[in-house]
Amino acid sequence: MARRKKYKFPKTTIERLSYYFRALEDLSKRGIDTVSSEALGGKLNIKSSQIRKDLSYFGDFGKRGMGYDVKYLLKELKYILGLDREWSVVIVGAGHIGAAMANYDSFEKRGFNIAAIFDNDEKKIGKEINGTPILPYDNIDDFVKQNKIEMAIIAVPAAAAQAVADKLVESGVTAILNFAPVAVQLDENVRCLSVDLTTKLEALAYYMSYSQDKLWKIYS
Amino acid sequence: MARRKKYKFPKTTIERLSYYFRALEDLSKRGIDTVSSEALGGKLNIKSSQIRKDLSYFGDFGKRGMGYDVKYLLKELKYILGLDREWSVVIVGAGHIGAAMANYDSFEKRGFNIAAIFDNDEKKIGKEINGTPILPYDNIDDFVKQNKIEMAIIAVPAAAAQAVADKLVESGVTAILNFAPVAVQLDENVRCLSVDLTTKLEALAYYMSYSQDKLWKIYS
DNA sequence: TCACCCATGTGAAAATTTTAACATACGCCG
DNA sequence: CGGCGTATGTTAAAATTTTCACATGGGTGA
Ligand SMILES: NC(=O)c1ccc[n+]([C@@H]2O[C@H](COP(=O)([O-])OP(=O)(O)OC[C@H]3O[C@@H](n4cnc5c(N)ncnc54)[C@H](O)[C@@H]3O)[C@@H](O)[C@H]2O)c1
Ligand SMILES: NC(=O)c1ccc[n+]([C@@H]2O[C@H](COP(=O)([O-])OP(=O)(O)OC[C@H]3O[C@@H](n4cnc5c(N)ncnc54)[C@H](O)[C@@H]3O)[C@@H](O)[C@H]2O)c1
């Protein structure tokens, strides 16, 4: 809270802060100490005024005439985004998506600690993915409670998603990243974001259909 | 074009049309012939007025007092979204994400035909995933041209993404679904959507950090 | 020290998107 | 056959988000 200047800002701002964070990491790695909103925007295809406004919701991080100190802004964004701590996460569904997520080491680097993967397939239980054990789905309740898991990734078939979500929430999970193509119904104090890959492809198909005659570009 | 009534509508509308489409498929499977915007919205957590407005950009599909004929609206949405034809797609990067996408059979059912997967790892070339061959990345140009590929999924490390995108576009691809965590710079007649999983997790982390004192709910 | 450059932070305007409200039309039932 | 309940399509208002424009203040170099 401390860092928030205004109480109201676009939902999209948070997403962009994450982009800024990553771009700044990259700059930092390349030994760049300072960046202007203009330069950062160029990297990300985002207007400089948008960046300045986004940041202004949280504080005054830049120096007029100079731009932003990369390391300092990184530290601030880390704090704002809640990345200055560890998050304990479980994955439900040890299928293709679950495995991809479990294998992605950058999550650990960012502080997302994948504590376990749960599945109800006997053949998968007992194995592990990238060092993370696959446990029986029936034990998920105890595990979440005992390990104070706050976040979960749902990577089970659509038909099972709502039941899994309910169980997770009942056990204490309050944030969910959902890959199943259904709108999960949840209590309003549970944060849930969905990733819908089919929809992305279909949106591309739409744009393709109309890009041929270029009308979308003229009229959208 | 034929089906479009207005020339200007929210970008988010297309995404929602895809949700409507899927929800209607589900209703259809369950033998339901007719649905109201209210009922459909309930399923998807979307306000009924939003649904009616979205549809109204493209035509008059409902019957007053009655609602929408599920099969008819499905047919119309299929046409609008460009799903009444086959799309030829290639995947670049036979890693975890590439494999997950190649293994997801629902894409084929929707008309997205995964023609090939490309990788530059000798050990992977020659194998196949879910019946789709993994081919040498160096051949991608010829393949895309010969098979008139229009869409591509980029699932290579961030460092390689821009080069891959450039090559794809040069070969004739005009729509890209990008999983690499970089803002790919493209000619404006190329459609590109990105899926950024890290950003999703970070956004959840943000909301978690502030949901504790519930301020986000009051002030957002 | 002062003048000049530069890029921030911000308040106001513009653009976009969502929500509300209701007149309109459809079908059913009596 | 006409009135009634119902849910659409639409118009207008509200809310949200982006963009613009510039006054402001920090740094640099003469
Ligand atoms: N793979 C993709 O590219 C892709 C694309 C779009 C959407 N999705 C969605 O993502 C989700 C996961 O996809 P996937 O390809 O990884 O599926 P998958 O079939 O590879 O894996 C699903 C896993 O969930 C497990 N499971 C099923 N029911 C369960 C339950 N009740 N409790 C615990 N585990 C259970 C299965 O044993 C399996 O291991 C699905 O909802 C799918 O529709 C995937
Ligand atoms: N796995 C995840 O859950 C996850 C999460 C967030 C983001 N991502 C992003 O998605 C992308 C793919 O991730 P992944 O986990 O599948 O990676 P991965 O390492 O499993 O697979 C990458 C594949 O790309 C191939 N490759 C590398 N350079 C190439 C080139 N120039 N041409 C052709 N092929 C090349 C590699 O041989 C490998 O097979 C990455 O950009 C990653 O940052 C993945």
Side-chain angles (χ1 to χ4, degrees):
Chain A
M1 278 315 88
R3 220 56 69 92
R4 193 164 351 174
K5 285 198 324 189
K6 301 261 175 71
Y7 290 125
K8 222 169 170 303
F9 49 83
K11 290 180 246 320
T12 42
T13 288
I14 296 302
E15 204 164 314
R16 284 191 298 265
L17 292 185
S18 168
Y19 299 153
Y20 305 157
F21 184 73
R22 186 161 51 213
L24 289 163
E25 278 186 325
D26 187 52
L27 291 172
S28 181
K29 259 183 220 135
R30 286 167 35 206
I32 294 165
D33 298 324
T34 290
V35 70
S36 68
S37 58
E38 193 66 34
L40 189 57
K43 236 174 113 75
L44 293 166
N45 294 332
I46 292 173
K47 285 211 163 62
S48 60
S49 56
Q50 180 77 83
I51 294 179
R52 293 198 302 277
K53 177 139 304 256
D54 283 339
L55 295 176
S56 79
Y57 294 125
F58 297 89
D60 296 355
F61 305 122
K63 284 207 187 74
R64 289 172 196 236
M66 297 279 94
Y68 300 89
D69 182 90
V70 171
K71 289 222 167 53
Y72 172 64
L73 188 51
L74 268 173
K75 190 164 70 67
E76 290 295 317
L77 286 177
K78 186 173 232 174
Y79 173 81
I80 292 165
L81 286 169
L83 301 176
D84 56 342
R85 49 158 290 192
E86 289 273 315
W87 295 96
S88 288
V89 185
V90 295
I91 296 173
V92 190
H96 296 105
I97 291 287
M101 297 295 279
N103 274 298
Y104 194 62
D105 291 326
S106 303
F107 289 147
E108 299 280 345
K109 281 187 209 132
R110 278 290 210 291
F112 298 99
N113 172 41
I114 315 279
I117 307 164
F118 291 88
D119 206 294
N120 64 0
D121 183 343
E122 295 289 343
K123 291 190 290 294
K124 294 183 176 177
I125 294 167
K127 298 189 176 162
E128 55 180 48
I129 298 177
N130 199 21
T132 307
I134 303 176
L135 305 178
Y137 177 64
D138 290 339
N139 298 358
I140 197 168
D141 195 85
D142 286 346
F143 187 93
V144 165
K145 279 180 184 139
Q146 276 165 34
N147 296 276
K148 297 209 171 26
I149 305 292
E150 294 162 294
M151 298 182 47
I153 296 169
I154 295 184
V156 300
Q162 182 67 56
V164 167
D166 289 342
K167 191 156 193 177
L168 285 165
V169 170
E170 206 186 297
S171 310
V173 162
T174 55
I176 291 173
L177 183 60
N178 171 46
F179 281 91
V182 283
V184 180
Q185 312 276 344
L186 291 167
D187 190 276
E188 63 175 52
N189 61 15
V190 179
R191 300 276 81 207
C192 179
L193 295 178
S194 284
V195 175
D196 197 323
L197 301 175
T198 304
T199 289
K200 295 280 180 186
L201 273 189
E202 292 182 352
L204 280 181
Y206 168 82
Y207 288 122
M208 296 279 286
S209 305
Y210 296 99
S211 69
Q212 286 155 1
D213 51 14
K214 298 288 162 68
L215 275 180
W216 73 264
K217 208 195 293 181
I218 302 169
Y219 295 117
S220 74
Chain B
M1 277 315 87
R3 221 55 72 90
R4 188 163 357 173
K5 284 199 325 189
K6 301 261 175 70
Y7 290 127
K8 222 169 171 305
F9 49 84
K11 291 179 243 323
T12 43
T13 288
I14 296 301
E15 206 164 314
R16 284 191 300 265
L17 292 185
S18 169
Y19 300 154
Y20 305 157
F21 184 73
R22 186 160 52 213
L24 288 163
E25 278 186 326
D26 187 51
L27 291 172
S28 181
K29 259 184 219 135
R30 286 165 37 205
I32 294 164
D33 298 324
T34 289
V35 70
S36 68
S37 57
E38 193 67 33
L40 189 58
K43 236 174 113 76
L44 293 166
N45 294 331
I46 292 174
K47 286 210 163 63
S48 61
S49 56
Q50 180 77 82
I51 295 179
R52 293 199 300 280
K53 176 145 293 272
D54 284 340
L55 295 176
S56 79
Y57 294 125
F58 297 90
D60 296 357
F61 304 121
K63 283 208 186 73
R64 290 174 193 228
M66 296 280 95
Y68 301 88
D69 181 89
V70 172
K71 291 222 167 51
Y72 172 64
L73 188 50
L74 268 173
K75 190 164 70 67
E76 290 294 319
L77 285 177
K78 186 173 231 174
Y79 173 81
I80 294 165
L81 287 169
L83 301 176
D84 57 343
R85 49 158 289 189
E86 289 273 316
W87 295 95
S88 288
V89 185
V90 296
I91 297 174
V92 190
H96 296 104
I97 290 287
M101 297 294 280
N103 274 297
Y104 193 61
D105 291 325
S106 302
F107 289 148
E108 299 279 346
K109 279 187 212 132
R110 278 289 213 291
F112 297 100
N113 171 42
I114 314 280
I117 307 165
F118 291 88
D119 207 293
N120 64 1
D121 183 342
E122 294 290 343
K123 291 192 291 295
K124 294 184 177 177
I125 294 168
K127 296 187 178 161
E128 54 180 50
I129 298 177
N130 198 20
T132 305
I134 302 177
L135 305 179
Y137 177 65
D138 290 339
N139 299 357
I140 197 168
D141 193 86
D142 286 345
F143 186 93
V144 166
K145 279 181 186 141
Q146 275 164 34
N147 296 276
K148 296 210 171 24
I149 304 293
E150 294 161 295
M151 297 181 49
I153 296 169
I154 295 183
V156 299
Q162 182 67 55
V164 167
D166 290 341
K167 192 158 191 176
L168 285 166
V169 170
E170 207 186 296
S171 311
V173 163
T174 55
I176 292 173
L177 183 60
N178 171 46
F179 282 91
V182 283
V184 179
Q185 312 277 343
L186 291 168
D187 190 277
E188 63 175 51
N189 62 14
V190 179
R191 300 275 82 205
C192 180
L193 295 177
S194 285
V195 174
D196 197 324
L197 303 174
T198 305
T199 290
K200 295 280 179 185
L201 273 189
E202 292 183 352
L204 280 181
Y206 168 82
Y207 288 122
M208 296 280 286
S209 305
Y210 296 99
S211 69
Q212 285 154 3
D213 51 14
K214 297 290 160 67
L215 275 179
W216 73 264
K217 209 193 295 180
I218 301 167
Y219 295 116
S220 73

